[in-house]
């Protein structure tokens, strides 16, 4: 396909947020990766941003090599108040893709009794314990080459990101109901 030619067909810059599945193959991750590839093929700019863990796909991944809302980090911020105030260099160690892949490969399972409060803390967005993660993601997307015309959220659990992203980026934020 040829890239867009007229002003009304101007290329979009799309930020596709994709929740990793802890080292497992995930249909939503594969779909998000394929979407990024297709958008680029059509002449648009698509940034595939992993959340929780690196993405595992059946095709070569087009995701950036940085994880936001790193699974270990956000859980510790939920469970232990101390981690809500740690400096970025410590958070960066916890968000390293290799560490997250290793943790995911260990098959760590969360008790359903513990998942409810964690989900509620994520749903609190900027008013919850992971506020610094919300702000870090918004800063990243607002920077240079990543400023999107539209942001896609991977599922309803991330709806609380919408107000902060819409405000900071001044663009539509949509939520896909994949895997719901």
């Amino acid at each position: 396909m040829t890239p867009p030619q007229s002003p009304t067909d101007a290329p979009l810059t799309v930020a596709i947020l994709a929740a990793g599945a802890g080292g497992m193959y995930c249909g939503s991750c594969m779909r998000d990766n394929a979407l990024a590839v297709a958008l680029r093929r059509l002449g648009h700019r698509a940034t595939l941003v992993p959340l929780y863990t690196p993405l595992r796909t059946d095709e070569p991944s087009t995701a950036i090599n940085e994880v936001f809302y790193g699974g270990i980090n956000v859980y510790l911020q939920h469970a232990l108040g101390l981690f809500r105030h740690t400096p970025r260099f410590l958070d960066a160690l916890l968000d390293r893709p290799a560490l997250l892949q290793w943790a995911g490969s260990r098959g760590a399972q969360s008790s359903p009794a513990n998942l409810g409060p964690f989900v509620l803390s994520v749903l609190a967005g900027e008013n919850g314990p992971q506020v610094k993660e919300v702000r870090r993601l918004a800063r990243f997307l607002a920077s240079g080459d990543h400023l999107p015309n539209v942001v896609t959220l991977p599922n309803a659990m991330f709806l609380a990101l919408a107000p902060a992203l819409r405000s900071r980026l001044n663009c539509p934020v949509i939520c896909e109901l994949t895997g719901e």
Side-chain angles (χ1 to χ4, degrees):
M1 299 224 146
T2 59
Q5 299 298 316
S6 74
T8 58
D9 291 335
L12 289 174
T13 301
V14 181
I16 304 167
L17 308 185
M24 296 181 290
Y25 285 105
C26 163
S28 294
C29 297
M30 290 186 267
R31 188 205 64 87
D32 290 339
N33 191 61
L35 176 61
V37 169
L39 286 168
R40 290 175 187 158
R41 203 175 293 136
L42 291 171
H44 302 290
R45 298 188 67 199
T47 303
L48 184 56
V49 181
L51 304 175
Y52 289 140
T53 66
L55 307 181
R56 186 169 183 194
T57 60
D58 57 344
E59 298 287 330
S61 177
T62 62
I64 62 170
N65 193 28
E66 184 171 2
V67 176
F68 287 81
Y69 263 76
I72 296 169
N73 196 2
V74 296
Y75 183 78
L76 289 173
Q77 289 175 32
H78 158 72
L80 303 169
L82 168 71
F83 285 90
R84 298 174 196 161
H85 308 286
T86 52
R88 180 65 203 135
F89 79 87
L90 183 58
D91 295 343
L93 292 173
L94 296 172
D95 290 341
R96 291 181 57 214
L99 176 62
L100 293 168
Q101 285 176 322
W102 176 82
S105 73
R106 299 316 241 187
Q109 296 294 320
S110 297
S111 156
N114 293 334
L115 274 182
F118 173 70
V119 170
L120 290 175
S121 76
V122 172
L123 285 170
E126 280 194 291
N127 298 314
Q130 295 92 3
V131 61
K132 68 181 183 176
E133 300 306 310
V134 175
R135 292 177 180 163
R136 183 171 85 88
L137 177 61
R139 274 192 311 273
F140 170 79
L141 293 174
S143 69
D145 294 339
H146 305 289
L147 184 62
N149 301 104
V150 66
V151 176
T152 69
L153 302 176
N155 55 53
M157 188 167 145
F158 289 99
L159 281 173
L161 292 175
L165 295 178
R166 186 176 48 246
S167 171
R168 176 78 187 250
L169 305 172
N170 195 30
C171 73
V173 179
I174 60 173
C175 180
E176 301 178 35
L177 298 178
T178 57
E180 299 292 329

